[in-house]
Amino acid sequence: MENKLEGMVIPRHVALILDGNGRWAKKRGLPRTMGHKEGCVTVEKTVEIAARMGIEYLTVYGFSTENWNRSKEEVGALMQLFRYYMVRLLKVAKANNVRVRMIGDRTRFDQDIIDGLNKLEAETAANTGLTFVIAVNYGGRDEITRAVRRLAADCAAGKRSPEQVTEQVVASYLDTADMPDPDLLIRTSGELRLSNYLLWQVAYTEFYVTDCLWPDFDQEELERAIIAYNKRDRRFGGVK
Ligand code: IPE
Ligand code: IPE
Ligand code: MG
């Protein structure tokens, strides 16, 4: 098979806003939940594809702190999907040497979901391939707020002095501590906004938006994003 990415730079960290499950379902006259179900299948496939491509970190936005505002039925259906796909994901992760990690505030979930997430992390911690990061009950502002709260507590307890708080120190209090910042952020379904995703981390990330609805996302779409990324002139505020 032809390798379209031959000679290209593979971004080390790809972040994904998987959007459009509802629209995918609506187009087919199906309930939104069916879009989410199909979207989970696409997540599984994308993990395998990213692992094969040699991407080191893949971070997907699964459920935002704002998504609790959806109907009780939809939130309930999403929780059921988490329950089911956490078990499947453990198998996929083990088969592909993938390490799973979660960002966001897991304490708001039911205990069985918290246990499942902990198990996913613990049982894949020693894997050395792709790190698959799931952002659930994640919001950039919430993450920064939780970080500031702990940092303030450490200062009040005399463990740190305010003068010593650098960008590195702030970053070390975030959920993404010890992860590189994303190189490429892909959003499906055409929306041109961040929706509270990785606010601190995407300071110099390249953005790529596709009209493709998340359940339709595939290897070709990911390759297109990486090809576009390779054409970007990354500057980080400097000049070449
Ligand atoms: C993304 O799809 C999945 C989640 C946010 C959980 P949406 O549910 O946002 O789908 P649209 O945007 O309504 O099409
Ligand atoms: C972003 O999608 C959140 C996730 C993909 C989990 P949303 O569909 O919730 O975002 P908005 O409402 O379009 O900004
Ligand atoms: Mg949406």
Side-chain angles (χ1 to χ4, degrees):
M1 208 180 81
E2 177 203 8
N3 181 3
K4 292 200 195 102
L5 302 181
E6 181 95 53
M8 293 212 183
V9 174
I10 300 295
R12 188 172 175 211
H13 183 175
V14 176
L16 256 168
I17 300 178
L18 42 92
D19 199 13
N21 290 348
R23 277 163 275 182
W24 182 92
K26 195 173 176 204
K27 246 173 67 180
R28 288 164 177 75
L30 298 168
R32 292 178 59 82
T33 318
M34 290 305 289
H36 295 315
K37 206 169 159 218
E38 200 59 33
C40 287
V41 177
T42 308
V43 170
E44 259 186 53
K45 284 191 204 149
T46 309
V47 169
E48 287 174 342
I49 294 164
R52 268 202 311 268
M53 276 184 183
I55 291 170
E56 282 180 55
Y57 293 84
L58 176 72
T59 301
V60 304
Y61 207 0
F63 190 87
S64 74
T65 46
E66 287 71 32
N67 287 149
W68 296 105
N69 298 327
R70 295 190 178 191
S71 74
K72 218 173 133 222
E73 291 70 35
E74 185 167 349
V75 171
L78 283 166
M79 295 303 139
Q80 277 309 103
L81 274 176
F82 286 161
R83 289 187 169 91
Y84 180 66
Y85 275 94
M86 276 189 315
V87 180
R88 287 189 59 106
L89 188 58
L90 188 55
K91 285 194 193 130
V92 173
K94 284 183 174 169
N96 292 277
N97 191 25
V98 168
R99 180 164 61 138
V100 183
R101 182 166 158 180
M102 198 228 136
I103 58 171
D105 180 6
R106 72 188 81 185
T107 61
R108 192 166 165 184
F109 292 115
D110 287 348
Q111 192 57 47
D112 66 310
I113 295 185
I114 298 175
D115 292 344
L117 288 166
N118 290 342
K119 186 174 165 190
L120 254 177
E121 286 185 332
E123 292 195 13
T124 63
N127 288 348
T128 54
L130 170 78
T131 298
F132 176 52
V133 186
I134 317 171
V136 276
N137 191 25
Y138 177 87
R141 287 184 173 180
D142 178 69
E143 177 191 37
I144 292 168
T145 305
R146 286 185 285 105
V148 169
R149 206 178 288 142
R150 282 193 295 122
L151 180 53
D154 283 353
C155 286
K159 288 190 208 157
R160 279 192 191 276
S161 68
E163 297 72 34
Q164 284 164 356
V165 176
T166 59
E167 289 189 7
Q168 284 71 28
V169 169
V170 174
S172 75
Y173 280 79
L174 297 175
D175 297 345
T176 51
D178 69 49
M179 276 168 54
D181 287 338
D183 302 291
L184 171 64
L185 169 71
I186 302 172
R187 182 164 185 149
T188 59
S189 302
E191 245 55 73
L192 300 175
R193 56 176 172 259
L194 272 176
S195 302
N196 203 9
Y197 196 38
L198 300 173
L199 298 181
W200 171 280
Q201 297 84 348
V202 297
Y204 270 101
T205 301
E206 297 292 332
F207 287 14
Y208 178 88
V209 176
T210 168
D211 285 333
C212 172
L213 303 174
W214 174 250
D216 294 328
F217 193 84
D218 57 9
Q219 175 153 347
E220 212 169 302
E221 280 289 336
L222 182 57
E223 284 171 352
R224 256 183 232 141
I226 294 174
I227 291 165
Y229 171 79
N230 272 265
K231 292 185 182 144
R232 301 285 173 88
D233 175 19
R234 300 196 82 189
R235 291 191 170 195
F236 303 98
V239 279
K240 281 186 199 151

